[in-house]
Amino acid sequence: LGILPAVLRGVALTLDPILTPVLQRILATLDGVAPLVVAAVLSGVALAPTVLANLLWMRWAARFAVERPTQQVVSVGMVAVAAALALSGLMGPELPYLFFVPVMALFGLGFLLASTAWAFFFFNALPGDMACVNAGINRAAGLVGGAIAGAV
């Protein structure tokens, strides 16, 4: 494990010349577009590993969530999110973007585990004839959370 940071730095420095022209092409395509649109597009591209990494371990996460108790799945998900937040807090702004990719992937995994297990637990907590109420509450909570995250 002691060599891992050096290997990651080498990979990041190797891929940085490849990724820079790609980002420059994206910026050139967005030349003349409103700055908020440019910021939204670049934010989406930068945060893509959070979602795309879930495609790699979706099957494992589903099997893990089915085989374990709900409380354990949510706890593991929350620990993964906490670890990702702690790691990102230890990283400085001088590090290349590629160092953040595994941390974002870990955050995505934790969010996948915690949110899906919580939603399953939440929807099964009330009687079946109240499924519409459950769906409405879950959707409203998601919208409020999205609004707060967008404001922050």
Side-chain angles (χ1 to χ4, degrees), residues 37-52 97 104:
V37 173
V38 173
V41 170
L42 289 179
S43 297
V45 170
L47 293 173
T50 304
V51 176
L52 295 177
Y97 169 75
M104 287 189 291

Side-chain angles (χ1 to χ4, degrees), residues 40-146:
V41 170
L42 289 179
S43 297
V45 170
L47 293 173
T50 304
V51 176
L52 295 177
N54 284 338
L55 298 176
L56 297 175
W57 46 55
M58 196 177 304
R59 291 184 80 145
W60 173 85
R63 189 169 47 253
F64 181 81
V66 169
E67 294 173 353
R68 306 277 196 292
T70 304
Q71 295 86 350
Q72 185 180 7
V73 176
V74 172
S75 298
V76 168
M78 292 175 75
V79 166
V81 168
L85 292 174
L87 286 171
S88 65
L90 295 173
M91 295 178 165
E94 72 280 352
L95 286 176
Y97 169 75
L98 289 177
F99 279 101
F100 291 92
V101 171
V103 175
M104 287 189 291
L106 179 62
F107 179 84
L109 173 66
F111 186 77
L112 174 73
L113 287 173
S115 65
T116 53
W118 177 85
F120 179 76
F121 180 74
F122 179 76
F123 283 123
N124 286 327
L126 292 175
D129 60 343
M130 299 190 76
C132 292
V133 173
N134 277 344
I137 291 171
N138 193 37
R139 179 76 177 139
L143 290 173
V144 169

